[in-house]
Amino acid sequence: MMRQLKDSGEIENLNAQALNNTRKAEKQLVFFNRVPKVGSQTFMELLRHLAMKNDFGFHRDHIQRVETIRLAPAEQLGLAAMINSYSTPSVYVKHICFINFTQYSLPEPIYVNLVRDPVERVISWYYYVRAPWYYVERKQAFPDIPLPDPLWLKKDFETCVLRGDRECQYIEGETREGIGDHRRQSLFFCGHGDACTPFNTVGALQRAKRAVERHYAVVGVLEDLNSTLTVLEHYVPRFFRGASKIYNEELERFRKINRNNFKPPVSEEVKDIVRRNFTREVEFYHFCRQRLHRQLLALKLPETYR
């Protein structure tokens, strides 16, 4: 995509100021409503380091018995008001769908997030909730929760897809909350409305795109972390100054965060089966990736920075 933009001459017309929603923020408060399984745990640890280096507050939610990512309007207002109460500059991190603060007459924060190839992400989630350490952590926090069926734990993703098991069916228009409905990353940008819940629909896709364009300073891409960190350093410098240096110095340790050694490889054939049902999720991912590259090119940095 970057090559296409260069070849078409569009780079000369790109304006970093116009592409930077940080200018719309009404206070020095970053809201990272993190999508699960996109490297957000690593990103959160990077923010902890940056908080010490760049002198800002770091806040995050606590582990929950049942993680709820969609809230009623009154609950959205309560959460937004709590986030808004933190002294500035600060960062708040939580798995939650996009909340429009201005809708509740609260100052606009600086929104950031990450995305990942949607099929790779859903595979990662599938094995994440089956990892032994996941249930050890859950049991430590909530001793009374029951352990899952061993047959369910041992079921691999390929079998689940090829056999047509319920949890591996991705049906357009279907509404299925599940545990936070982690089939889709676009849900975290679309918001809390009922129009956002049907799977792989045009309406939810368009709402998610609008939120990114209108509100998010940067939506990074897991598969392109170098570009992500460079854009964050330039578009949100108060918080992300020195991010690339810290990440590269701590690279090996960061790579081990939340790594799942129990995830077996999945064939391209099975991935293609899933991808055919993820058309709007794939489109949203490429939309975010193109936007990130446009933001990078607009900086007009030397080639070595890209």
Side-chain angles (χ1 to χ4, degrees), residues 46 50 225-231 233 240-250:
L46 175 61
L50 288 168
L225 276 180
N226 286 337
S227 295
T228 296
L229 295 176
T230 299
V231 170
E233 286 176 327
F240 289 95
R241 184 175 61 253
S244 296
K245 185 175 185 292
I246 290 175
Y247 180 80
N248 289 321
E249 287 175 350
E250 302 283 343

Side-chain angles (χ1 to χ4, degrees), residues 171-240:
I171 302 169
E172 184 169 323
E174 179 188 54
T175 297
R176 187 175 89 231
E177 293 290 334
I179 304 175
D181 192 3
H182 289 295
R183 298 170 297 166
R184 296 167 295 151
Q185 58 192 346
S186 64
L187 181 60
F188 286 80
F189 300 86
C190 181
H192 303 258
D194 290 341
C196 296
T197 59
F199 178 71
N200 201 50
T201 60
V202 173
L205 168 67
Q206 295 305 325
R207 284 171 179 255
K209 284 183 176 181
R210 275 199 303 274
V212 171
E213 288 280 25
R214 294 178 181 177
H215 298 281
Y216 280 81
V218 179
V219 175
V221 176
L222 178 63
E223 291 84 357
D224 197 352
L225 276 180
N226 286 337
S227 295
T228 296
L229 295 176
T230 299
V231 170
L232 282 165
E233 286 176 327
H234 286 82
Y235 284 68
V236 197
R238 173 64 183 84
F239 293 88
F240 289 95

Side-chain angles (χ1 to χ4, degrees), residues 42-55:
T42 299
F43 196 75
M44 186 167 64
E45 288 307 307
L46 175 61
L47 278 168
R48 286 186 195 274
H49 282 68
L50 288 168
M52 292 182 285
K53 179 182 183 298
N54 294 335
D55 190 27

Side-chain angles (χ1 to χ4, degrees), residues 27 29 59 77-88 90 92 101 106-107:
K27 63 190 308 183
L29 178 65
H59 311 275
L77 171 58
L79 178 60
M82 185 199 76
I83 297 169
N84 186 63
S85 71
Y86 289 121
S87 60
T88 56
S90 280
Y92 182 76
F101 280 47
L106 291 169

Side-chain angles (χ1 to χ4, degrees), residues 56-116:
F56 59 81
F58 177 89
H59 311 275
R60 62 158 300 182
D61 65 338
H62 301 290
I63 186 171
Q64 302 171 49
R65 184 183 182 91
V66 177
E67 190 168 68
T68 304
I69 62 171
R70 291 181 63 240
L71 304 176
E75 294 171 315
Q76 292 179 55
L77 171 58
L79 178 60
M82 185 199 76
I83 297 169
N84 186 63
S85 71
Y86 289 121
S87 60
T88 56
S90 280
V91 166
Y92 182 76
V93 184
K94 179 178 175 61
H95 289 311
I96 194 73
C97 292
F98 167 73
I99 298 174
N100 186 346
F101 280 47
T102 59
Q103 180 180 330
Y104 298 104
S105 300
L106 291 169
E108 176 105 339
I110 302 168
Y111 295 94
V112 299
N113 216 322
L114 293 165
V115 294
R116 177 185 188 178

